[in-house]
Amino acid sequence: MKDGTDPFEDTLRRLREAFHSGCTRPAAFRAEQLQALGRFLQENKQLLHDALAQDLHKSAFDSDISELIICQNEINLALKNLQAWMKDTPASTNLFTKLDSAFVRKEPFGLVLIIAPWNYPINLTLVPLVGALAAGNCVVLKPSEISQGTEKILAEVLPRYLDQSCFAVVLGGPEETGQLLKHKFDYIFFTGSPRVGKIVMTAAAKHLTPVTLELGGKNPCYVDDNCDPQIVANRVAWFRYFNAGQTCVAPDYLLCSPEMQERLLPALQSAITRFYGDDPQSSPNLGRIINQKQFQRLRALLGCGRVAIGGQSDECDRYIAPTVLVDVQEMEPVMQEEIFGPILPIMNVQGMDEAIEFINRREKPLALYAFSNSSQVVNQMLERTSSGSFGGNDGFIYMTLPSLPLGGVGHSGTGRYHGKFTFDTFSHHRACLLCPAGLEELNNIRYPPYSHSMQELVRWALGSHSCTLL
């Protein structure tokens, strides 16, 4: 790239030519690619476990439940439903189009780019890929250079399983990604921070390329006075400290009354000890921070407020203990940026109304959680706020359901995916109307000049009462 040559030009040209040949459109070809992706997961399970352990200190169990099983479920769902998803969807007609065929056809966009993050480097790479392949696109995959172990497998092993005339993995850091984004794609799918999301969207706008942006944000978690503190602590602690807190939908801070805080702190300590033992650093179930840069950023956040639980760190091991902060002020750094680590600040509010006001004056989050024994309180939090997703009395277990979309709103992103939503995201929904070549006498009613009676007849024929609903 430094000598002026473009490292991506030949690859992108080859993929475009493959798409224009029509080879990706048949259902049989799409199914073959999905089956091959499933074989990649099955045949390289140990390799992937080792890479995830290297990158994030993930146990085999954590890797299975948060990465490999979710990807395999997406593949199985797509294979089972591919024919139905691809099928034209009939549309309603009116009196003018009664003899015509109206339908929506799901077409592939063409050459799509998937830019993946490092925190769930298999899940957040392959789940979008499943939908892109199922929809019949050619795909350029850009894995994160930060999760080096999984990047190596995705670059060296995955292409052996997929048709390399229609699929390519490209590598590099921010400079190479910037160069890649200068090219025209037919769709871009990006998962990462709002800061980089703006760069991606700006680059896409130059080509009028549609985008899905799966971004982050500070996800609030409101804890009502009317709830069992130990149940809340169990659920919050698991979801906050899973993957060392490096989860875009993890609860980022708690809002509760001072009284509930006093009840929650011993419950959180109890949950952390039960999950990770007296020495969490030696627990096989607690992950590590991805690299030194992120470790230093997180360690600086430990200076906000007051450490009530945890707070220990080990730079050589990239370890930060499961931590709870109290006496936190809204303008401190820990409340201004997405934490993305095993640190949980608690801010005090007097009740639900104050919590809702606090949430609504900030950017819309990717996820929002509310805990209460009162269904009315949970429903009020749902109805009076906005977020990409919502969990009542639980954390992000909804991520295991391909029947629910994942996507942000406002600052936390645009677009959605998972299951059929991914297929739809990577498909152009083309409006189609096929009418008979003959029967022209029936069309004379719509041609000028119009008599008064003819105008009335046309108005009536176009009225909503004339529509044929499916």
Side-chain angles (χ1 to χ4, degrees), residues 29 34-35 41 49-50 81 92 179 211 280 283 290 303 367 370 377 394 407 425-426:
F29 177 84
L34 292 171
Q35 289 161 355
L41 287 173
H49 278 170
D50 292 346
N81 294 284
S92 58
Q179 181 74 15
V211 296
S283 170
I290 185 70
V377 169
D394 209 350
T425 283
F426 284 105

Side-chain angles (χ1 to χ4, degrees), residues 422-439:
T422 323
F423 176 87
D424 287 338
T425 283
F426 284 105
S427 300
H428 167 55
H429 290 228
R430 188 179 188 183
C432 303
L433 183 73
L434 306 181
C435 45
L439 304 176

Side-chain angles (χ1 to χ4, degrees), residues 148-184:
Q148 296 175 0
T150 44
E151 180 198 40
K152 183 177 173 65
I153 296 172
L154 292 170
E156 297 179 4
V157 182
L158 178 57
R160 300 176 199 163
Y161 288 81
L162 300 177
D163 189 320
Q164 293 190 44
S165 68
C166 307
F167 171 80
V169 176
V170 299
L171 304 179
E175 184 183 355
E176 289 79 9
T177 303
Q179 181 74 15
L180 183 64
L181 286 168
K182 292 179 181 178
H183 291 273
K184 176 178 170 55

